[in-house]
Each structure stands twice: as structure tokens, then as C-alpha cells.
């Protein structure tokens, strides 16, 4: 993994560093996704200020209403309202009845810029990547992530490079082509594409692969869906959350 000098920590909001989920080893905020000691995954740690529901509710109708809980610049909430998040939480009474449940909600992620959950993780990865001085946003993908990266890069006015397996269904990446950027098809499986991405991330110091060298920041975007569900239920937690995955 390449290492890169970070700017002042305050540019990452209240994030205070990275820590290994396996062995707890701490390191500075930077473009690094694996622990130098044990190769475990690194996660962002925080030194959070007191937060109130009112301060969150006063924020924009995007994921940046939770900016204080993310590794992003403090002024990010002022960005135009083309960002992901605040998707509808739909009460699905008919489905609940069919399944014999008291109440059921569906989180409708089609409301995000490229109509998938991936817009959340990419937005946080992009914000952190720009702070670290990267000038290209990249990813290996099998579809949704490719679209999210191409769109977010276009919105931010920076280059994107997306690597996909050559046998991917064209419909999945039509959006990527529309948003511009460079789309590279690779003869091989997704594992091969991922391996190539890791090598390219080492070679090109200005390429941020959202799910490779800036993965800890990318992963932080996921939790915004949980915050939204709690807030939309009146700051109550559901008994169960069911997550469909490909
Ligand atoms: Zn470790």
C-alpha cells in the first residue's frame, strides 16, 4: 500500500486516526486500509464533540447532516443538494401483513443520485480523498459502484477510472459511460479486477480507489443509512434490520 502525507487532521472533521479492528494498532489518518502489524482492516476512530438531535435535524437533507460523525471536512454540509442520503423510509403495510409482521418499512435507496446505496460510501470516500490530495477517483466494480464513482467524480469535476470484468452485463454500467470518465474492461473475474486495482493503487499516487486505498473512509459512508432509519423512526431503533446483498 502506498502511504501519503495527510493534511491537518481537522480537515477530516472529528476523525482522530485509524485503528486496526483485529489488533487495535493505531495509526494516522491517511490512504491506508490494512494494518501494518497484522494486515487486519483499519477503521476510522473519532474524538467526538457533544452532539444533539436538534443539531442533526438542522442539517441539510443529505448524508452530510451526519457530517460530525464522518471523516469529512467540517464545511461539507454546505455543498449543493445533489448529494446522496435522506432517502424515503416507506411503511409497507401490505408486505408486513403478508409476512405476518406488526410493522415493516422499506428504505428506498433509489432516491440517491445513481439510485443505489453505493452513492453514500463513494461520497464519503471522495470527500476524504480530495482532502488527501488525490486527483482521480477510481474503483474495481461489478456495476453499482462503477456508476456511483463515475457520477460523484463528474459532480466534483475530477477524473474517474472504473475497472470492470469484461463479461459484465452492459446494462449495469450504462450509467458509468453516460457520466464520462474512463471505463476499462478487464479479461478476468472480479478477483482479477480487484488485484489489478490494488497494483494500480500502489503505482499511481494520485489515484484514490474508493474500495482499496481509501477503504476506511468509504466504509464509514455505510453507517449513514442506520442513522437515517433511526431518525426517520423518531429516533427509535427497529427490532431487526434486513440487508439484501448481491
Ligand atoms: Zn492489526
Amino acid at each position: 500500500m502506498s502511504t501519503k502525507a495527510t493534511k491537518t487532521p481537522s480537515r477530516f472533521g472529528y476523525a482522530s486516526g485509524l485503528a486496526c479492528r483485529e489488533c487495535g494498532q493505531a495509526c494516522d489518518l491517511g490512504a491506508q486500509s490494512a494494518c501494518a502489524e497484522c494486515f487486519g482492516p483499519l477503521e476510522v476512530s473519532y474524538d467526538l464533540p457533544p452532539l444533539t438531535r436538534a443539531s442533526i435535524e438542522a442539517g441539510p437533507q443529505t448524508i452530510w447532516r451526519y457530517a460530525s460523525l464522518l471523516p469529512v471536512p467540517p464545511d461539507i454540509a454546505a455543498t449543493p443538494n445533489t448529494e446522496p442520503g435522506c432517502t424515503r423510509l416507506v411503511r409497507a403495510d401490505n408486505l408486513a401483513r403478508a409476512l405476518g409482521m406488526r410493522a415493516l418499512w422499506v428504505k428506498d435507496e433509489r432516491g440517491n443520485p445513481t439510485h443505489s446505496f453505493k452513492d453514500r460510501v463513494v461520497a464519503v470516500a471522495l470527500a476524504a480523498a480530495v482532502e488527501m490530495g488525490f486527483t482521480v477517483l477510481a474503483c474495481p466494480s461489478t456495476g453499482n459502484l462503477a456508476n456511483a464513482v463515475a457520477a460523484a467524480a463528474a459532480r466534483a469535476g475530477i477524473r474517474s477510472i472504473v475497472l470492470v470484468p469484461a463479461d459484465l452485463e452492459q446494462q449495469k454500467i450504462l450509467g458509468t459511460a453516460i457520466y464520462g470518465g474512463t471505463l476499462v474492461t478487464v479479461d478476468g473475474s472480479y478477483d482479477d479486477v480487484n488485484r489489478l486495482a490494488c497494483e494500480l493503487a500502489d503505482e499511481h499516487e494520485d489515484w484514490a480507489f474508493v474500495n482499496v486505498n481509501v477503504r476506511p473512509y468509504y466504509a464509514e459512508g455505510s453507517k449513514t443509512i442506520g442513522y437515517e432509519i433511526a431518525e426517520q423512526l423518531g429516533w427509535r431503533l427497529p427490532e431487526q434490520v434486513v440487508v439484501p446483498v448481491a
Side-chain angles (χ1 to χ4, degrees), residues 54-145:
S55 68
I56 289 171
E57 288 164 359
Q61 291 292 320
T62 68
I63 57 170
W64 303 135
R65 67 203 280 105
Y66 310 110
S68 301
L69 297 153
L70 296 167
V72 295
D75 59 355
I76 200 160
T79 52
N81 204 7
T82 51
E83 300 288 304
C86 289
T87 57
R88 295 190 309 160
L89 186 68
V90 181
R91 185 164 172 147
D93 288 341
N94 292 343
L95 185 56
R97 221 170 4 254
L99 295 173
M101 300 175 70
R102 194 159 40 82
L104 175 67
W105 286 265
V106 176
K107 189 73 169 136
D108 184 1
E109 287 287 277
R110 293 174 304 171
N112 287 318
T114 67
H115 321 296
S116 95
F117 165 80
K118 295 291 187 185
D119 291 316
R120 296 174 183 272
V121 286
V122 169
V124 177
L126 170 63
V130 167
E131 289 307 312
M132 286 185 270
F134 288 101
T135 56
V136 176
L137 199 65
C139 71
S141 172
T142 57
N144 287 339
L145 183 60

Side-chain angles (χ1 to χ4, degrees), residues 20-25 35-42:
C20 174
R21 190 163 70 202
E22 301 298 332
C23 75
Q25 177 78 21
C35 173
E37 298 294 319
C38 76
F39 214 63
L42 294 175

Side-chain angles (χ1 to χ4, degrees), residues 201-233:
D202 280 343
E203 268 176 41
H204 296 271
E205 288 209 331
D206 52 347
W207 292 14
F209 279 85
V210 294
N211 50 347
V212 180
N213 50 346
V214 295
R215 191 175 183 91
Y217 309 89
Y218 166 93
E220 287 294 283
S222 302
K223 67 189 185 184
T224 59
I225 200 167
Y227 295 151
E228 274 179 34
I229 291 170
E231 186 178 354
Q232 288 169 323
L233 291 175

